[in-house]
Amino acid sequence: MSAPERIPPRSVTPPPDAAELLARGELTVRGRIREASNAALYCTVSHDGRDAACIYKPVAGERPLWDFPDGTLAQREVAAYEVSEATGWGLVPPTVLRDGPYGEGMCQLWVEAAPGAELLALVDGEEPEPGWKAIGFAEVGEGRTALLVHADDERLRRLAVLDAVLNNADRKGGHLLPTGEGRLYGIDHGVTFSVETKLRTLLWGWAGEPLTPEAVEVLEGLRKGLMEGGPLAARLQPLITDAEIDATRARVNALLASGKHPEPSGEWPAIPWPPV
């Protein structure tokens, strides 16, 4: 299957019925995303005179992982979207679980990233300049090191909180999609919700700093939604295990108890590789 055809730039603000379109529309495969580690198919979806571009990841195309049960990555992607929606931040593109040409899989609205939006950089020196947060030092060849930094951006800070809730084990730079409309989306949430601490991310710039009042308010809302019988817990029930829902509750409670962004545990590589 060929690489996907180039689509023209379009508005990426999801319409109110985007999830319905993804779930009910006719799915047509246009190509394969070659860089993806699991089968990721570029598609169009059409229903009742409406159409959109999307990504379809069939469960049958998932590679087995030693630390995640087989055939669960698609469900975890949908669960991440449900938690994102519950925050009100809208950081994950509309995502549904549906049947498709290659069986059940995850279907997510295609997001066209804006060119030239700098969220990550390698810089000389030991301290970041104003407007940037330090991640750590990286080898850049010939015995040289440079400081890896990310933007001090409230959208990234919200995503850092969401990743801590999801226990995201793979937040790379390539998973950050800023749009021309000023929004930021995070994608590729297949390795999330583990019951073991696996947070691995490039967004460590706020580690140990107090959570914003906004983040505390959002986490309080998540805590209520994740209570037994709560609306968010009910939406997650078909997607992840009871133990994983319990672990998500525990992470939310721990964030609220500490009042701070988490720090690397030291028990798991803190930064994904490759970072982009």
Side-chain angles (χ1 to χ4, degrees), residues 27-38:
L27 201 59
T28 303
V29 177
R30 303 296 184 183
R32 180 169 184 171
I33 309 300
R34 296 186 183 276
E35 297 82 4
S37 56
N38 296 288

Side-chain angles (χ1 to χ4, degrees), residues 87-104:
T87 66
W89 285 334
L91 293 169
V92 178
T95 312
V96 303
L97 194 67
R98 60 160 293 167
D99 195 30
Y102 298 99
E104 185 178 62

Side-chain angles (χ1 to χ4, degrees), residues 147-275:
L147 183 64
L148 182 61
V149 298
H150 66 67
D152 188 1
D153 185 308
E154 68 175 7
R155 301 169 302 171
L156 287 180
R157 190 166 190 171
R158 290 169 176 170
L159 192 59
V161 174
L162 178 65
D163 281 343
V165 173
L166 302 180
N167 197 15
N168 192 351
D170 194 34
R171 175 59 73 206
K172 297 178 179 177
H175 301 165
L176 305 173
L177 301 181
T179 76
E181 299 171 330
R183 297 194 62 166
L184 175 71
Y185 291 98
I187 60 170
D188 285 351
H189 296 101
V191 286
T192 49
F193 295 103
S194 173
V195 296
E196 300 177 9
T197 301
K198 291 183 181 291
L199 184 59
R200 187 168 59 174
T201 176
L202 287 177
L203 305 181
W204 287 116
W206 297 281
E209 293 188 15
L211 295 166
T212 65
E214 177 195 47
V216 172
E217 182 179 354
V218 164
L219 289 167
E220 289 285 7
L222 290 181
R223 176 156 63 182
K224 293 177 182 177
L226 286 166
M227 293 174 63
E228 293 284 351
L232 180 55
R235 290 195 294 274
L236 295 181
Q237 196 77 41
L239 301 169
I240 58 177
T241 68
D242 289 344
E244 289 164 343
I245 294 174
D246 287 342
T248 304
R249 290 190 190 104
R251 289 191 295 271
V252 170
N253 288 334
L255 286 166
L256 286 168
S258 72
K260 298 179 180 180
H261 286 267
E263 299 180 82
S265 68
E267 300 175 358
W268 177 257
I271 298 176
W273 188 262

Side-chain angles (χ1 to χ4, degrees), residues 36-105:
S37 56
N38 296 288
L41 305 176
Y42 170 72
C43 302
T44 53
V45 61
S46 303
H47 177 68
D48 198 22
R50 297 166 297 152
D51 65 270
C54 61
I55 296 296
Y56 161 54
K57 296 182 181 180
V59 172
E62 294 178 3
R63 293 194 313 175
L65 298 173
W66 68 269
D67 54 347
F68 284 86
D70 289 349
T72 67
L73 305 191
Q75 290 91 328
R76 294 171 194 277
E77 294 244 31
V78 179
Y81 167 68
E82 293 291 353
V83 175
S84 170
E85 287 299 282
T87 66
W89 285 334
L91 293 169
V92 178
T95 312
V96 303
L97 194 67
R98 60 160 293 167
D99 195 30
Y102 298 99
E104 185 178 62

